[in-house]
Amino acid sequence: MSKKFVNKLEETVDDALFGLVASNKDIQFCKTSKRVIHRSQINTENVSLIAGGGSGHEPYAAGYVGKGLLTAAVAGNIFASPPSRNVQTSLEATKGKAGAILFVINYTGDRLNFGLAAERFNASGGNARVVTISDDVAIDNPNNRVGRRGLAGAVLTIKIAGAMSEEGRSLDEIYDMSQNVVNSLGTLGVSLYPGSQPGKDRETDLSNDQIEIGLGIHGEPGKLRASYESAHKIVSDVMATLKAKMKMKESDEFVVLVNNLGSVSQLEMGIVNGEVLRWFEMEKMKVTRFYSGTYMTSLDGHGISVTVLRADESMMKYLDAPAKAPGWVPSLSHRNQAEQSHSDKNAPIEVKSTGTSIHPDLVRECLNGVVKAMMDSEDQLNTLDAQSGDGDCGSTFASAARAIQKAEALDYEHLETLLKQLSVIFEQTVGGTSGALYALMFSAAAPELHEKIESNTILEALKKANHAVQKYGGARVGDRTMVDALDAMVEDLGKGLADNAGLDVFERAIQASENAAKETAHQKASVGRASYTSSESQTKPDAGATAISIWFRAFWTAFKEEMGKTNK
């Protein structure tokens, strides 16, 4: 059963409406129905605008009750149309001289209940019209007499009508404009998985490698299923369908609304927004207004819909008019892609060449060995990190490895310069704590290799790196971090060189580093992200300590192999 922040399942909608009203003084419950929300101050000289339907699509519709938008909203149970008597109650509560418009998203239950309410209201002396919103381009079957479903295009329709009502426009004017807006709208949705109702399991047979295209907002199956691919491919396919259905062509101008169906993260929404705007740029079409946010949901559905409106100047005027309601998100100040500046991640890393020379082939092969180890250990490190972290340690270093592979003009002849370049790569492409720590290590170590490269200067470079990490990172030996493995390497190497033990000291020092990494399984973290987790989750070696011991081993292995080739 899906977990939700609810109390009693049968009171879910009522509790949600209570929270909405309690946190917004400009709206209130109708005195005769707890499922009808209306403005606290109603201007009976203006046309009343009412929308509603089944709950689970928040902020639609109650979230749009406010100045410049709806006068009232009617809420049904989750995914169920409200009874006609509640719709009629909303008409009576907001009744004025100018008449009323009911906005219905095109689903059978809503059409029936809102239509019945309008008929009864008009029969008793009222004056109500019904605008049916049907913007779903996925439904385009000539044998389907019901027509297209209503989706997020309803929000733009309501916004334009709301501004007209505030301006004092007549019932006929608002009705005609609303019909023009509906006829100029197109929406298409895509979902990675549907929403789940409180108290129920997520009902879907959609596999992890599939997406649903053209789904409804009640979890209905879409027009088709396709393979899950990149955001670029998904958005491009959605836009291609919209282009065909809406007969969009070069130089056309559109209002665009990107809607979050419930649980798409802001990180993902940023990517989707960029892909949508990039598509318009590539197609040489103009986006006159760009909206992005959570406008009409399907509970916690993990998907998006894109709405396009071929708006004329009068529509634009009313879209830009002021509005204030709990769920309303105004348009964003987007820019054309051509105006944006993009950093080139593969651009040459500009670091002045300094330091003594060394055989470049030797350095290149050693670095290649480390890069390969970074790639090969991705899953191992992710698994370790998942025990007490966020499970991305391996992916972080694999990303760094790919950045090193793509980097141009790395200076393999001057080790001091190369370390400075690696510092920049980790700082710019890895980011976060790991990126900063490794950037700091490389930067601190580099100057020690300026004049000569030998065992003692390598030791001094490692000492400086160790000191810098402890000074700025705050970790000490025994804290279950990379410092444990790094410090063990430094200490053992220092002792070996003091005893003049030859190159074997490096093998022993690396073994000491590996052993120290393994010992972190018995330590309690007191710094870093792992320090916030329970001791029960800290039973495996630390990923960071394991990682640096792997890099040492990879470097040493590559060094010995390359030296073996040279001595043959």
Side-chain angles (χ1 to χ4, degrees), residues 358-368 412-413 558 562 566:
I358 192 173
H359 198 294
D361 290 341
L362 173 62
V363 177
R364 181 183 292 104
E365 291 306 314
C366 289
L367 183 58
N368 286 344
Y412 295 105
E413 186 176 353
E562 191 62 22
T566 304

Side-chain angles (χ1 to χ4, degrees), residues 155-201:
V155 179
L156 296 178
T157 310
I158 289 167
K159 174 63 183 71
I160 292 170
M164 293 183 73
S165 177
E166 291 293 335
E167 196 176 74
R169 294 291 181 176
S170 70
L171 180 65
D172 286 341
E173 288 175 311
I174 299 174
Y175 178 81
D176 289 344
M177 173 66 87
S178 297
Q179 294 290 14
N180 288 337
V181 172
V182 171
N183 292 333
S184 304
L185 279 170
T187 299
L188 185 64
V190 59
S191 180
L192 306 189
Y193 50 81
S196 58
Q197 293 198 36
K200 297 182 179 180
D201 292 327

Side-chain angles (χ1 to χ4, degrees), residues 59-71:
Y60 188 86
Y64 297 124
V65 175
K67 186 177 178 62
L69 290 157
L70 293 176
T71 312

Side-chain angles (χ1 to χ4, degrees), residues 420-533:
K420 292 178 181 178
Q421 291 175 321
L422 293 175
S423 177
V424 173
I425 289 174
F426 271 82
E427 179 183 5
Q428 293 184 348
T429 66
V430 177
T433 302
S434 296
L437 287 173
Y438 273 78
L440 187 63
M441 281 198 305
F442 289 130
S443 182
E448 298 303 317
L449 305 174
H450 180 70
E451 294 184 358
K452 56 183 178 180
I453 299 172
E454 59 181 21
S455 297
N456 286 310
T457 56
I458 291 173
L459 173 62
E460 290 304 313
L462 288 170
K463 282 183 177 179
K464 288 295 177 62
N466 188 29
H467 175 74
V469 170
Q470 294 193 44
K471 178 180 179 181
Y472 294 103
R476 299 291 183 269
V477 175
D479 284 343
R480 188 184 160 85
T481 69
M482 62 180 290
V483 166
D484 291 290
L486 176 58
D487 189 83
M489 172 77 180
V490 171
E491 288 297 314
D492 202 277
L493 183 60
K495 293 176 182 177
L497 291 177
D499 295 336
N500 296 316
L503 286 178
D504 287 345
V505 295
F506 286 97
E507 174 61 34
R508 290 196 291 270
I510 291 168
Q511 289 177 4
S513 176
E514 292 169 335
N515 291 334
K518 293 175 183 176
E519 283 300 312
T520 58
H522 309 295
Q523 297 168 351
K524 176 70 172 68
S526 56
V527 296
R529 190 166 294 168
S531 63
Y532 303 113
T533 64

Side-chain angles (χ1 to χ4, degrees), residues 346-358:
N346 297 328
I349 301 169
E350 297 182 1
V351 176
K352 184 180 179 181
S353 184
T354 57
T356 189
S357 297
I358 192 173

Side-chain angles (χ1 to χ4, degrees), residues 5 26 67 89 119 212-213 228 317 334 347 363 394 431 445 471 481 483 488 508 531 556:
F5 288 104
D26 296 328
K67 186 177 178 62
T89 295
E119 291 293 326
E212 194 93 51
I213 298 176
Y228 167 70
K317 169 189 171 183
H334 72 285
V363 177
K471 178 180 179 181
T481 69
V483 166
R508 290 196 291 270
S531 63
W556 179 237

Side-chain angles (χ1 to χ4, degrees), residues 275-327:
E275 292 298 338
V276 171
L277 289 170
R278 184 180 291 115
W279 185 89
F280 276 92
E281 188 81 15
M282 294 296 292
E283 295 290 328
K284 295 182 171 57
M285 299 177 195
K286 184 177 180 181
V287 177
T288 54
R289 296 292 184 276
F290 186 74
Y291 297 84
S292 177
T294 305
Y295 293 94
M296 180 184 283
T297 62
S298 180
L299 292 168
D300 59 348
H302 199 88
I304 57 100
S305 65
V306 180
T307 300
V308 295
L309 168 64
R310 191 177 267 109
D312 58 27
E313 290 185 8
S314 59
M315 294 178 190
M316 298 291 293
K317 169 189 171 183
Y318 293 119
L319 283 172
D320 292 341
K324 182 183 179 184

Side-chain angles (χ1 to χ4, degrees), residues 97-302:
K97 301 175 182 179
I101 294 179
L102 297 173
F103 292 95
V104 179
I105 56 175
N106 193 23
Y107 285 91
T108 302
D110 291 331
R111 286 202 320 276
L112 291 173
N113 285 302
F114 279 74
L116 177 58
E119 291 293 326
R120 288 174 172 170
F121 180 70
N122 292 341
S124 64
N127 185 11
R129 306 272 187 90
V130 176
V131 172
T132 302
I133 299 157
S134 51
D135 53 319
D136 184 6
V137 302
I139 304 298
D140 202 17
N141 183 351
N143 297 319
N144 184 352
R145 295 191 302 274
V146 175
R148 295 174 170 178
R149 296 173 295 201
L151 297 176
V155 179
L156 296 178
T157 310
I158 289 167
K159 174 63 183 71
I160 292 170
M164 293 183 73
S165 177
E166 291 293 335
E167 196 176 74
R169 294 291 181 176
S170 70
L171 180 65
D172 286 341
E173 288 175 311
I174 299 174
Y175 178 81
D176 289 344
M177 173 66 87
S178 297
Q179 294 290 14
N180 288 337
V181 172
V182 171
N183 292 333
S184 304
L185 279 170
T187 299
L188 185 64
V190 59
S191 180
L192 306 189
Y193 50 81
S196 58
Q197 293 198 36
K200 297 182 179 180
D201 292 327
R202 193 181 305 277
E203 297 179 3
T204 179
D205 59 352
L206 192 66
S207 63
N208 288 333
D209 61 350
Q210 288 184 312
I211 60 174
E212 194 93 51
I213 298 176
L215 74 162
I217 54 172
H218 304 99
E220 312 98 304
K223 178 180 180 181
L224 58 90
R225 290 183 174 182
S227 297
Y228 167 70
E229 298 185 59
S230 67
H232 172 76
K233 181 65 165 58
I234 293 172
V235 171
S236 296
D237 288 349
V238 167
M239 296 309 303
T241 301
L242 279 170
K243 179 183 178 182
K245 298 292 186 179
M246 294 293 292
K247 295 180 171 56
M248 301 164 68
K249 61 184 185 299
E250 186 175 321
S251 300
D252 281 354
E253 298 183 359
F254 294 94
V255 172
V256 179
L257 183 147
V258 180
N259 174 52
N260 185 340
L261 283 168
S263 68
V264 179
S265 69
Q266 292 302 299
L267 186 71
E268 294 167 280
M269 285 297 290
I271 295 171
V272 170
N273 289 345
E275 292 298 338
V276 171
L277 289 170
R278 184 180 291 115
W279 185 89
F280 276 92
E281 188 81 15
M282 294 296 292
E283 295 290 328
K284 295 182 171 57
M285 299 177 195
K286 184 177 180 181
V287 177
T288 54
R289 296 292 184 276
F290 186 74
Y291 297 84
S292 177
T294 305
Y295 293 94
M296 180 184 283
T297 62
S298 180
L299 292 168
D300 59 348
H302 199 88

